[in-house]
Amino acid sequence: VADFTFDPALSPSEYWSEFRYFPGYDRGHICPSADRTFSYEANEQTFYMSNMQPQYHEFNGYQDGTSNRGLWVRMESQLQKWAKNLSYTDTIYVCKGGTIDDEKNIITRIKGKMIVPKYFFMAVLKKSSSGTYHAFGFWTEHLNSYVPSNTDLKQYALSISELEKKTGMDFFCNLPDNIENEVEKKNSYSSLY
């Protein structure tokens, strides 16, 4: 496991050097460490501060003595489990982040600068070797509480079109328009899990 460090691709002016820690919050990975274990260098890059967003421990951690886990870590674990069962000819694309675009989508700013997102999201696209596509998104409030282990993640799943309305982002825009429009209007969570 690497130490948290600054991204060498960014200058100090692009990322505030005082934010090695997020007082009151965990350093929540956007790209999880467990997703990049094929080399030390790839894993080390997940510990760049540019890959971190402040997250409540209850959202991104484990509750001692129970099976309860944070909602974000549950979503990541489910996605990893699903990805491990894909065919070696399938491809999965994942876009993740927190809301930083509007004050109504921000909980607070640490030291008046570092944004603590009010919502987090994932956009997931699977392309199979047969050329078919399936997609869904996750959208959740950044909760300061654990989610019971029996909570069905399906309630947080939505279509990519719905996720785009919530985030203002255009996901998977490099797909041909006819494929993008078709795949983004369906919530394929149930067919993928």
Side-chain angles (χ1 to χ4, degrees):
V1 175
D3 190 20
F4 293 94
T5 187
F6 293 103
D7 188 334
L10 300 177
S11 70
S13 63
E14 292 175 299
Y15 199 89
W16 302 295
S17 60
E18 70 263 36
F19 290 105
R20 183 86 178 244
Y21 301 97
F22 304 142
Y25 301 91
D26 286 357
R27 292 169 287 198
H29 285 71
I30 298 304
C31 176
S33 170
D35 282 3
R36 298 190 72 187
T37 57
F38 55 89
S39 77
Y40 179 81
E41 180 182 10
N43 186 261
E44 184 179 43
Q45 291 168 353
T46 70
F47 287 86
Y48 288 167
M49 291 303 292
S50 57
N51 186 46
M52 303 294 142
Q53 285 194 292
Q55 292 183 334
Y56 293 121
H57 179 75
E58 291 79 359
F59 185 69
N60 187 39
Y62 297 84
Q63 186 176 23
D64 291 340
T66 74
S67 61
N68 291 339
R69 298 178 290 160
L71 186 55
W72 186 252
V73 76
R74 286 208 44 221
M75 289 175 173
E76 287 180 333
S77 296
Q78 184 63 49
L79 189 57
Q80 289 160 356
K81 180 180 174 185
W82 174 64
K84 286 178 184 175
N85 292 322
L86 294 176
S87 163
Y88 70 93
T89 58
D90 293 338
T91 305
I92 184 172
Y93 302 91
V94 182
C95 302
K96 297 164 61 177
T99 54
I100 60 171
D101 61 327
D102 189 322
E103 290 302 318
K104 73 180 186 319
N105 293 330
I106 294 169
I107 292 173
T108 190
R109 292 174 187 264
I110 301 170
K111 296 185 183 178
K113 293 182 182 179
M114 178 60 64
I115 291 172
V116 179
K118 186 173 182 180
Y119 301 97
F120 279 88
F121 60 86
M122 299 183 190
V124 181
L125 174 70
K126 174 194 170 192
K127 178 185 177 189
S128 68
S129 57
S130 65
T132 59
Y133 293 84
H134 293 89
F136 74 93
F138 275 135
W139 173 265
T140 180
E141 188 171 355
H142 184 188
L143 302 170
N144 192 10
S145 59
Y146 290 102
V147 173
S149 57
N150 62 350
T151 301
D152 188 351
L153 296 180
K154 183 177 181 179
Q155 66 185 303
Y156 302 99
L158 68 172
S159 71
I160 298 298
S161 293
E162 292 171 295
L163 185 61
E164 288 176 337
K165 288 176 188 168
K166 290 180 177 293
T167 63
M169 297 179 184
D170 185 6
F171 298 105
F172 313 125
C173 57
N174 291 331
L175 289 173
D177 287 343
N178 62 325
I179 294 174
E180 181 185 7
N181 293 336
E182 187 64 27
V183 75
E184 290 187 353
K185 69 182 180 183
K186 296 177 186 171
N187 174 357
S188 296
Y189 177 85
S190 296
S191 63
L192 294 176
Y193 281 109

